[in-house]
Amino acid sequence: MWSDVAMTFYAELPMRRMRQILGDLFFVFWVGLWIRLGMWLHDVALGLAKPGELTESAATALGDRLQGAGERMGEVPVVGGNVSVPFDQAAEASRSLAAAGRTQADAAVSFAWWLGLLVALTPILVAALYYLPKRWRFARTAAAGRRFVDATADLDLFALRAMAHQPLHVLARISDDPAGAWRNGDQQIIRELAELELAAVGMSAPVAPGTLGATG
């Protein structure tokens, strides 16, 4: 299973396969780097929530104490009701201050979350939009090509594609009349043309029949 996947996503030609592997490793490194940086910025920005949290905690504790003091003052005969009013008002003010501190802390937490997400996600998406479609196109082309390259006879198709895709000066290095050689069934020229097109998609031509026996 793994060998089939590797053959689909990686070129047969060693140099191009090495470049693809290094490119994939760099892409993984790039993603991990920006995720770590985003998390670090999130943690740094999260420190902005501390003052709000401290304000909320202190104001809540003060309000509770003032409310308790007001309740005890209210128990004093005759003047208790009047004496407790300022304590109740101060307790209410402390609760408002605590709510403001909570709002500030929540805003800082939200800011830290969005900052970390945007810092990490933006460069990752830019790299992914550039790199992943190119890798997907290669994998799709390689998978389709390997369905054809199962016999030397299939090289005719790739030779024809080479004449359509390759620059003229490249074709001229193989033959002065590559189209004529293709029509006449010149297997040597056809193979050389096919190798050009196959190399462009990171594939190697199949071994010609009798080659292995001749080398033995």
Side-chain angles (χ1 to χ4, degrees):
M1 176 65 72
W2 167 248
S3 61
D4 293 340
V5 173
M7 287 181 63
T8 300
F9 284 96
Y10 294 100
E12 295 175 352
L13 302 179
M15 290 302 296
R16 185 165 184 179
R17 181 169 63 244
M18 180 58 65
R19 289 197 300 268
Q20 289 174 334
I21 292 173
L22 291 176
D24 290 350
L25 290 176
F26 180 78
F27 179 75
V28 172
F29 169 77
W30 180 265
V31 171
L33 173 66
W34 285 102
I35 289 176
R36 291 293 299 272
L37 183 58
M39 293 173 63
W40 177 76
L41 287 175
H42 170 269
D43 294 341
V44 170
L46 203 59
L48 299 174
K50 292 297 182 182
E53 293 172 349
L54 292 174
T55 299
E56 178 191 17
S57 177
T60 299
L62 178 60
D64 291 342
R65 287 195 293 271
L66 289 171
Q67 183 178 5
E71 290 174 353
R72 288 192 294 273
M73 287 298 181
E75 296 174 356
V76 176
V78 184
V79 297
N82 294 330
V83 174
S84 66
V85 171
F87 288 93
D88 293 339
Q89 292 175 343
E92 186 63 27
S94 295
R95 293 191 185 93
S96 298
L97 182 60
R102 181 70 263 163
T103 300
Q104 178 187 351
D106 289 343
V109 170
S110 179
F111 170 75
W113 189 85
W114 281 107
L115 176 65
L117 181 65
L118 289 175
V119 167
L121 199 58
T122 301
I124 290 174
L125 284 178
V126 170
L129 290 175
Y130 169 77
Y131 187 70
L132 294 182
K134 182 169 65 173
R135 293 292 286 118
W136 170 250
R137 285 194 299 271
F138 171 83
R140 185 175 60 180
T141 302
R146 287 189 178 95
R147 288 199 296 268
F148 289 101
V149 184
D150 56 2
T152 306
D154 294 326
L155 295 181
D156 285 351
L157 172 63
F158 290 95
L160 182 61
R161 285 177 58 86
M163 289 187 289
H165 295 160
Q166 297 297 321
L168 293 178
H169 70 275
V170 175
L171 296 176
R173 291 202 299 263
I174 295 177
S175 172
D176 294 335
D177 184 15
W182 180 81
R183 285 193 298 269
N184 294 329
D186 188 327
Q187 293 302 313
Q188 179 61 31
I189 299 300
I190 288 174
R191 183 175 186 84
E192 292 181 15
L193 290 171
E195 287 174 348
L196 278 179
E197 186 66 17
L198 289 169
V201 294
M203 298 171 61
S204 57
V207 178
T211 301
L212 293 178
T215 58

